[in-house]
Amino acid sequence: MNLFNAIKFIETKLEDYFTDEADHVIIANIADEDHVKEKIIITMVNLEEEKTMKNQKYVKMNALQKPVYQNPPVNVNLFLLFTATHDNYETALKHLSRVVEFFQGKNVFSNKDGNLPNGSNESFKLILDLIPMSFEGTNHLWGFLGGKQLPSVIYKMRMVSLEAGKPTNIGGTIFESDITSTKIEGS
């Protein structure tokens, strides 16, 4: 799975929840989108590696029972900012409430909920958790984004697994080993 497909999957599911209008939810950088109004904008504001999943096997067996040497996938957490960009503040708050309601009702998504946007049917599991922000953290975030603060909420999307498409090395199977002993002096 790649980052875009994971975020696009969430965008599609959230868009389906907003059944009253089409194209209500978009993926964009909120810092560059001052001209976009009347939308919920999804912006990735941070990415971190999931350290607890770091120790994984470097060797797997392929279909021909040959060992394949490949670095394990990198498991990352994405921090997604959902921002309501409506001119009417009441409408913005209502739409932001609907985002929170949506993830309160369903915060775990998998391939059972549908295929990825690229048509891939690979298995995946995305878990979204609400991240509380302090006043200071919110101030720093919006200062970093270079804009005025808009009604928004941050969710942490856990366990996006990133993996290269091809193995780095395919080797042969070791069937036996030959260990010759040498006499150690003094024994």
Side-chain angles (χ1 to χ4, degrees):
M1 168 178 290
N2 66 42
L3 300 177
F4 175 75
N5 283 339
I7 299 170
K8 188 69 175 173
F9 182 83
I10 295 300
E11 175 201 33
T12 303
K13 294 300 174 190
L14 188 57
E15 181 69 39
D16 290 345
Y17 187 71
F18 281 90
T19 56
D20 53 346
E21 298 177 37
D23 297 327
H24 212 305
V25 182
I26 62 170
I27 299 170
N29 185 349
I30 189 65
D32 295 337
E33 300 296 327
D34 287 337
H35 60 280
V36 176
K37 299 292 181 194
E38 309 300 316
K39 305 279 184 195
I40 299 292
I41 297 180
I42 304 172
T43 305
M44 186 179 83
V45 293
N46 199 7
L47 177 145
E48 71 179 7
E49 183 178 10
E50 182 63 51
K51 299 287 187 188
T52 60
M53 299 296 290
K54 192 103 172 142
N55 287 338
Q56 295 182 29
K57 294 180 182 179
Y58 284 85
V59 179
K60 296 179 183 175
M61 300 301 271
N62 67 9
L64 301 173
Q65 293 302 311
K66 298 250 185 210
V68 177
Y69 301 94
Q70 182 175 2
N71 287 335
V74 175
N75 295 297
V76 296
N77 299 317
L78 308 178
F79 291 84
L80 303 177
L81 177 71
F82 295 82
T83 308
T85 62
H86 297 75
D87 286 330
N88 182 321
Y89 192 71
E90 284 184 21
T91 303
L93 291 177
K94 287 177 185 176
H95 282 90
L96 190 61
S97 293
R98 293 195 62 200
V99 170
V100 174
E101 288 170 5
F102 173 72
F103 289 120
Q104 186 279 326
K106 182 165 181 65
N107 70 329
V108 178
F109 300 89
S110 69
N111 52 320
K112 294 174 185 163
D113 297 310
N115 290 339
L116 292 171
N118 63 358
S120 169
N121 60 357
E122 67 182 282
S123 71
F124 63 92
K125 186 174 185 180
L126 305 173
I127 304 167
L128 282 94
D129 298 320
L130 181 65
I131 299 296
M133 291 283 288
S134 66
F135 286 117
E136 183 179 359
T138 302
N139 183 43
H140 287 310
L141 176 65
W142 283 100
F144 175 73
L145 292 172
K148 62 182 179 182
Q149 184 178 346
L150 297 170
S152 61
V153 64
I154 292 184
Y155 279 89
K156 177 180 180 180
M157 183 171 22
R158 293 192 277 142
M159 300 306 291
V160 175
S161 186
L162 306 175
E163 189 169 13
K166 294 184 179 182
T168 55
N169 189 10
I170 298 177
T173 306
I174 300 172
F175 291 105
E176 63 183 58
S177 63
D178 183 18
I179 301 175
T180 58
S181 61
T182 57
K183 187 170 184 172
I184 301 174
E185 287 185 32
S187 54

